[in-house]
Amino acid sequence: MTTPPPPLPPDVDVVLPCLDEAEALPWVLRRVPPGWRALVVDNGSTDGSPHIARALGATVVHEPRRGFGAACHAGLTAATAGIVCFCDCDASLDPALLVPFVREILAGEADLVLGRRRPVRRGTFPAHARAGNLALTRLLRRRTGLDLHDLGPLRAARRVDLLALGLTDRRSGYPLQMVVRAADAGWRVAEHDVPYLPRTGASKVTGTWRGTWQAVRDMSRVLAEPAARERAAR
């Protein structure tokens, strides 16, 4: 007799920052676990992405200010569920992989769960993107003491706790600032391998050396921030 899988955790919002992802959206939204709400945050698409997302049952949030962090934070502030997840909207990551992340949060085993991207084939993770990610994670480990190896966008945490971090970056430094401030706050941060698929369409950030350099610059600024206790003392 086969044991049925445990029921999916309820009360989850999945934030999906979106800029011209019409081709990828159908696959991504089909992979969002049943019962979870998909929040597609449109960041100025011109390819009809918001209409496609809405037709596929997603809640669409509009964020006119350009920037990955701006889109992510607009999704976080629009969320109402107890747990909020984040996932790229380019079909490089499977939202269904968030289920064990959420279970880990609900079980009280971690406060923030991150996905460590593992490319499924050669060329999925461009050399310049890997180099930038490697350099930044080394600096992150030194800054926080956390044994992390990636700054991947697949992640889960409790909504009220995320809001309490007071995240301010609205560009490429947003994912890093979340981890740094979580570490400063004493959060338990877990990291798990996830398959990294070839993205659909062109990358807006790490598809070029220039985009990667911009992201590294944004994140370096975050790493230079004072720790929470120093900010509070000012």
Side-chain angles (χ1 to χ4, degrees), residues 166-197:
L167 301 176
T168 57
D169 192 280
R170 296 296 181 263
R171 292 164 60 100
S172 301
Y174 188 88
L176 176 61
Q177 189 180 56
M178 183 186 296
V179 177
V180 169
R181 293 201 173 181
D184 286 350
W187 289 24
R188 296 160 299 165
V189 182
E191 182 182 63
H192 303 298
D193 290 355
V194 294
Y196 190 45
L197 311 171

Side-chain angles (χ1 to χ4, degrees), residues 55-180:
L56 292 170
T59 297
V60 175
V61 177
H62 292 280
E63 174 48 71
R65 181 168 50 164
R66 286 292 182 93
F68 182 75
C72 287
H73 202 71
L76 174 60
T77 55
T80 57
I83 293 180
V84 175
C85 299
F86 296 85
C87 181
D88 274 356
C89 206
D90 58 9
S92 64
L93 292 163
D94 186 347
L97 297 171
L98 289 162
V99 172
F101 288 23
V102 172
R103 288 197 171 114
E104 194 168 351
I105 299 291
L106 289 173
E109 297 167 356
D111 303 303
L112 174 64
V113 185
L114 309 171
R116 180 183 183 182
R117 293 167 290 183
R118 294 294 199 176
V120 298
R121 66 170 182 255
R122 191 179 183 88
T124 300
F125 210 161
H128 52 276
R130 288 199 313 273
N133 191 64
L134 178 62
L136 286 165
T137 50
R138 282 178 176 168
L139 292 171
L140 176 65
R141 289 195 294 272
R142 187 182 307 163
R143 164 70 172 76
T144 65
L146 296 173
D147 186 24
L148 298 177
H149 305 84
D150 190 15
L151 290 169
L154 197 71
R155 50 187 64 193
R158 293 188 182 275
R159 178 177 58 86
V160 293
D161 294 339
L162 286 169
L163 290 170
L165 292 178
L167 301 176
T168 57
D169 192 280
R170 296 296 181 263
R171 292 164 60 100
S172 301
Y174 188 88
L176 176 61
Q177 189 180 56
M178 183 186 296
V179 177
V180 169

